[in-house]
Amino acid sequence: MKIAFYNHTSDMSGAEISLLLTAKHLKKAHPILFAPEGPLLQKARSQGIEVTALSSFRARMTRNPFMLIGYAMGMLLAGWKLARQLKRSEADLVHANSIRAGIMAGLFRWFHGLPVIWHVRDMPPRGFMGQLIRRFAARSAQAVIGISDSVLYAMEHESLVDKCHLVHNGVELKQADPAERRENREKVRAELETSQDAQVLAIIGQIAPWKRQEDAIEAFSTLVREGRNCVLWIVGEAKFRPENERYLAHLHERVKDLQLHNHVKFTGYREDVLEICCGADLLLLCSEDEPFGRVIIEAMSQGTPVIASRGGGVPEIIEQGRSGWMYETGHIQELTDRIRQVLDDDRLWRSLSHNGQQRAADRFSIQQTAEKVEFIYQQLLNRPGTRAYEHRQAKEMM
């Protein structure tokens, strides 16, 4: 099987990391990555993944009718260029790595003729726009993969019922021994100028209002006022939208207002997420309706306890009080209490650490993810009418 992975952007975020991990661990399929030139293609090349560079186009949501028309025309042109590339390729199937990528791949499916899978990694919009997206998916997608039950529920449409598949994100489970984890911890803390005996909290992800990094800052400020030797690492960068840049500036201002500049480290984007998790005593996730939360399983895999907001796909990962703790999104006092509880109880910390590692190993390995994805490929390509099916029939008749 030759699979055309399509990503509409070459910027790196959780979706792109998951794409590369899945492509890397396929055993029965040969991936070809179609994306604009940039960090994603550079990373793919370094991993030996075949790539095809596309021209870049980025549309944004707007109420300006003239800009909206321009974006729509740009998407049509980009979709047509993609369809021509797919038509010339030897791919058997298109695996679109987002809602937007699914729309682009489906626009001219009548021309390229390949089955299209939508891999939905974000909550689809509500209202009229969400209805349009679901209807278009029902017409253009041969399968929809959701990274959580919560995401699939948001994509619910009568014509999609038999097309939807749940495939959780997976991570590479690196079984580092205690000595290696201790070495990673010391190295990362030294690099980030953080005391080895400080209590370190980390929040990792794209800087965006819906990620609610401000909640972590507010809870953390209480711990500092209590006289604790603690540090907060805010890991990630603002990208994709101007409002994310403004939110990052707001976070810096809030840290200044609370006089936390000696306790909070803005690290920017980091590729060494597992090492960051080793360096932290606790991972926080404060998002509103997080679609899945791959950083949760990354932290779990390294034995770092997690406190996360209850919502989206998070309850599908965390067993409350056993492999992590959840709190109600936006409830700063509850978040603060949970942090204090885990940091002050060594026995609880060790229990969450052990159970979290076991949970990640049992349920969220990248090998499990890749196997489920390949099973979906085989189901689609074994149907009469697909290019792969017709090629196989032709070979059997020779």
Side-chain angles (χ1 to χ4, degrees):
M1 298 180 288
K2 288 192 175 182
I3 309 300
F5 280 88
Y6 171 55
N7 205 70
H8 73 280
T9 176
S10 200
D11 290 335
M12 292 293 295
S13 64
E16 287 69 37
I17 293 170
S18 291
L19 180 156
L20 290 177
L21 277 175
T22 302
K24 178 182 174 182
H25 286 85
L26 295 176
K27 294 181 177 179
K28 302 175 183 177
H30 174 77
I32 308 169
L33 176 56
F34 290 72
E37 195 60 69
L40 175 59
L41 288 196
Q42 294 168 12
K43 190 75 172 178
R45 291 188 184 102
S46 71
Q47 296 181 1
I49 297 173
E50 183 179 348
V51 304
T52 297
L54 302 172
S55 56
S56 178
F57 175 76
R58 179 175 294 174
R60 298 192 186 279
M61 295 299 295
T62 178
R63 295 183 180 180
N64 185 312
F66 298 104
M67 293 181 68
L68 196 60
I69 292 171
Y71 287 150
M73 294 300 294
M75 285 188 69
L76 285 171
L77 179 60
W80 174 246
K81 289 180 179 179
L82 169 65
R84 291 177 61 187
Q85 290 274 25
L86 293 172
K87 184 79 170 179
R88 291 194 293 266
S89 75
E90 296 182 354
D92 297 307
L93 180 151
V94 184
H95 185 148
N97 197 44
S98 66
I99 291 175
R100 185 173 297 179
I103 293 172
M104 303 279 277
L107 283 171
F108 296 98
R109 183 178 174 270
W110 57 267
F111 179 77
H112 62 69
L114 300 177
V116 176
I117 294 176
W118 285 33
H119 203 144
V120 183
R121 299 183 180 277
D122 293 304
M123 296 293 184
R126 296 184 175 90
F128 179 68
M129 184 61 69
Q131 293 177 16
L132 284 181
I133 288 172
R134 289 189 290 272
R135 288 177 183 175
F136 186 71
R139 293 175 62 88
S140 66
Q142 282 60 61
V144 173
I145 296 174
I147 61 174
S148 67
D149 278 324
S150 182
V151 165
L152 287 179
Y153 179 78
M155 282 293 292
E156 197 171 68
H157 186 278
E158 59 184 12
S159 300
L160 286 174
V161 171
D162 296 329
K163 297 181 179 181
C164 289
H165 306 266
L166 173 64
V167 181
H168 290 129
N169 288 332
V171 299
E172 287 184 301
L173 298 172
K174 298 180 179 178
Q175 297 296 329
D177 60 37
E180 289 178 292
R181 288 199 294 272
R182 187 164 52 251
E183 181 180 344
N184 286 335
R185 173 188 174 95
E186 293 173 356
K187 179 182 177 182
V188 169
R189 288 189 173 213
E191 181 182 342
L192 295 178
E193 300 178 333
T194 300
S195 170
Q196 296 295 330
D197 59 355
Q199 294 178 319
V200 176
L201 314 180
I203 182 165
I204 304 173
Q206 179 191 154
I207 305 296
W210 71 275
K211 289 286 191 177
R212 300 182 70 100
Q213 284 92 350
E214 185 174 6
D215 290 0
I217 293 172
E218 297 295 337
F220 178 74
S221 68
T222 299
L223 303 179
V224 173
R225 288 196 299 270
E226 292 173 353
R228 292 173 179 262
N229 177 20
C230 54
V231 174
L232 173 64
W233 294 342
I234 300 178
V235 182
E237 63 180 335
K239 57 174 67 174
F240 303 126
R241 299 174 184 274
E243 55 263 37
N244 294 345
E245 293 283 353
R246 293 192 292 270
Y247 185 64
L248 176 59
H250 169 71
L251 294 180
H252 279 282
E253 281 298 316
R254 191 62 187 141
V255 167
K256 181 180 178 182
D257 292 343
L258 293 170
Q259 299 181 349
L260 296 174
H261 49 277
N262 290 329
H263 299 271
V264 176
K265 304 281 185 181
F266 289 89
T267 73
Y269 174 76
R270 303 274 302 207
E271 291 193 352
D272 56 341
V273 171
L274 296 183
E275 288 77 8
I276 291 286
C277 291
C278 283
D281 296 296
L282 193 60
L283 178 86
L284 307 181
L285 185 140
C286 303
S287 310
E288 186 166 354
D289 285 332
E290 179 71 45
F292 179 68
R294 64 169 291 113
V295 71
I296 295 175
I297 53 176
E298 287 173 324
M300 282 181 169
S301 73
Q302 301 306 301
T304 304
V306 178
I307 298 175
S309 49
R310 183 185 287 106
V314 173
E316 297 171 44
I317 306 174
I318 291 177
E319 305 158 292
Q320 178 73 324
R322 175 173 171 78
S323 56
W325 277 108
M326 292 180 288
Y327 73 99
E328 293 302 321
T329 307
H331 287 223
I332 307 300
Q333 186 59 55
E334 184 183 3
L335 171 59
T336 306
D337 292 341
R338 292 297 190 196
I339 294 171
R340 193 185 290 114
Q341 181 182 8
V342 176
L343 290 180
D344 291 348
D345 188 335
D346 288 341
R347 185 175 179 180
L348 174 61
W349 191 98
R350 288 193 298 269
S351 175
L352 296 176
S353 173
H354 172 78
N355 294 334
Q357 276 189 299
Q358 194 64 52
R359 177 80 168 166
D362 290 345
R363 298 287 299 276
F364 302 111
S365 73
I366 189 59
Q367 288 81 9
Q368 291 170 313
T369 298
E371 287 174 7
K372 291 176 182 178
V373 167
E374 286 190 313
F375 180 74
I376 296 168
Y377 294 162
Q378 290 175 319
Q379 283 185 311
L380 289 182
L381 296 180
N382 283 335
R383 295 178 183 174
T386 63
R387 184 185 294 182
Y389 180 87
E390 301 302 337
H391 284 176
R392 187 165 59 253
Q393 292 294 100
K395 286 182 181 179
E396 290 176 357
M397 294 176 62
M398 293 176 63

Coordinates of all heavy atoms in Angstrom, one line a residue, residues 44 60 74 77 79 84 87 109-110 116 119 123 150 198 234 285 293 304 320 323 386:
A44 N 10.7 15.1 8.2 CA 10.3 13.8 7.5 C 11.5 13.3 6.7 O 11.8 12.1 6.7 CB 9.1 14.0 6.6
R60 N -7.7 31.8 6.8 CA -8.1 32.1 8.2 C -9.6 32.4 8.2 O -10.2 32.9 7.3 CB -7.3 33.3 8.7 CG -5.8 33.1 8.7 CD -5.1 34.2 9.5 NE -3.7 34.1 9.5 CZ -3.0 33.3 10.2 NH1 -3.6 32.5 11.1 NH2 -1.7 33.3 10.1
G74 N -8.4 30.7 -2.8 CA -7.1 30.2 -2.6 C -7.2 28.7 -2.2 O -6.3 27.9 -2.7
L77 N -7.8 26.6 -5.4 CA -6.6 26.5 -6.2 C -5.6 25.5 -5.6 O -5.0 24.7 -6.3 CB -5.9 27.9 -6.4 CG -4.6 27.9 -7.2 CD1 -4.9 27.4 -8.6 CD2 -4.0 29.3 -7.2
G79 N -6.3 23.1 -3.5 CA -6.9 21.8 -3.6 C -6.8 21.2 -5.0 O -6.5 20.0 -5.2
R84 N -3.9 17.3 -8.6 CA -3.0 17.0 -9.8 C -1.8 16.2 -9.4 O -1.4 15.3 -10.0 CB -2.6 18.3 -10.5 CG -3.8 19.0 -11.2 CD -3.3 20.3 -11.8 NE -2.3 20.1 -12.8 CZ -1.6 21.1 -13.4 NH1 -1.9 22.4 -13.0 NH2 -0.7 20.9 -14.3
K87 N -3.0 12.7 -8.6 CA -3.3 12.0 -9.8 C -2.0 11.4 -10.5 O -2.1 10.3 -11.0 CB -4.0 13.0 -10.8 CG -4.4 12.3 -12.1 CD -5.7 11.6 -11.9 CE -6.3 11.2 -13.3 NZ -7.6 10.4 -13.1
R109 N -11.8 15.1 -5.3 CA -11.7 13.7 -5.3 C -12.2 13.1 -6.6 O -11.7 12.1 -7.1 CB -12.5 13.1 -4.1 CG -12.3 11.6 -4.1 CD -13.0 11.0 -2.9 NE -12.9 9.5 -3.0 CZ -13.7 8.7 -3.7 NH1 -14.8 9.3 -4.2 NH2 -13.5 7.4 -3.8
W110 N -13.2 13.7 -7.3 CA -13.7 13.3 -8.6 C -12.6 13.2 -9.6 O -12.6 12.4 -10.6 CB -14.8 14.2 -9.0 CG -14.4 15.6 -9.2 CD1 -14.6 16.6 -8.2 CD2 -13.8 16.3 -10.3 NE1 -14.1 17.8 -8.7 CE2 -13.6 17.6 -9.9 CE3 -13.4 15.8 -11.5 CZ2 -13.1 18.5 -10.8 CZ3 -12.8 16.7 -12.4 CH2 -12.7 18.1 -12.1
V116 N -10.3 8.9 0.5 CA -9.8 9.9 1.4 C -10.2 9.6 2.8 O -11.4 9.3 3.1 CB -10.3 11.3 1.0 CG1 -9.8 12.3 2.0 CG2 -9.9 11.7 -0.4
H119 N -8.4 12.5 9.2 CA -7.9 12.3 10.6 C -8.3 13.5 11.4 O -7.6 14.6 11.3 CB -6.4 12.0 10.5 CG -6.0 11.2 11.7 ND1 -5.0 10.3 11.7 CD2 -6.4 11.2 13.0 CE1 -4.8 9.7 12.9 NE2 -5.6 10.3 13.7
M123 N -11.5 19.6 17.8 CA -12.9 19.7 17.9 C -13.5 20.5 16.7 O -13.0 21.7 16.5 CB -13.4 20.4 19.2 CG -13.0 19.6 20.4 SD -13.9 18.1 20.5 CE -13.4 17.5 22.1
S150 N -14.7 11.9 22.2 CA -15.2 13.3 22.3 C -15.2 14.0 20.9 O -16.1 14.6 20.5 CB -14.4 14.1 23.3 OG -14.9 15.4 23.4
A198 N 14.4 22.2 43.3 CA 13.1 23.0 43.2 C 12.0 22.0 42.8 O 12.2 21.0 42.2 CB 13.2 24.1 42.2
I234 N 6.8 27.0 31.1 CA 5.7 27.2 30.1 C 6.4 26.9 28.8 O 7.2 27.7 28.2 CB 5.1 28.6 30.1 CG1 4.4 28.8 31.5 CG2 4.0 28.7 29.0 CD1 3.8 30.2 31.6
L285 N -2.1 20.3 32.6 CA -2.9 20.6 31.3 C -4.1 21.3 31.7 O -5.0 20.7 32.4 CB -3.1 19.3 30.5 CG -3.8 19.5 29.2 CD1 -3.2 18.5 28.1 CD2 -5.3 19.3 29.2
G293 N -4.8 15.2 24.1 CA -3.8 15.5 25.1 C -2.6 14.5 25.0 O -2.4 13.8 26.0
T304 N 6.0 10.9 35.1 CA 5.7 12.2 35.7 C 4.2 12.3 35.9 O 3.4 12.2 34.9 CB 6.1 13.3 34.7 OG1 7.5 13.2 34.4 CG2 5.8 14.7 35.3
Q320 N -9.1 8.6 37.1 CA -9.1 9.6 38.2 C -8.6 9.0 39.5 O -9.1 8.0 40.0 CB -10.5 10.2 38.4 CG -10.7 11.2 39.6 CD -10.1 12.5 39.2 OE1 -9.1 12.6 38.5 NE2 -10.7 13.6 39.7
S323 N -4.2 7.0 37.8 CA -3.1 7.3 36.9 C -2.9 8.8 36.6 O -2.2 9.2 35.8 CB -3.3 6.6 35.5 OG -4.5 6.9 35.0
T386 N -11.5 0.5 -5.8 CA -10.3 1.3 -5.5 C -9.2 0.9 -6.4 O -9.2 -0.2 -7.0 CB -9.9 1.0 -4.0 OG1 -9.6 -0.4 -3.9 CG2 -11.0 1.3 -3.1

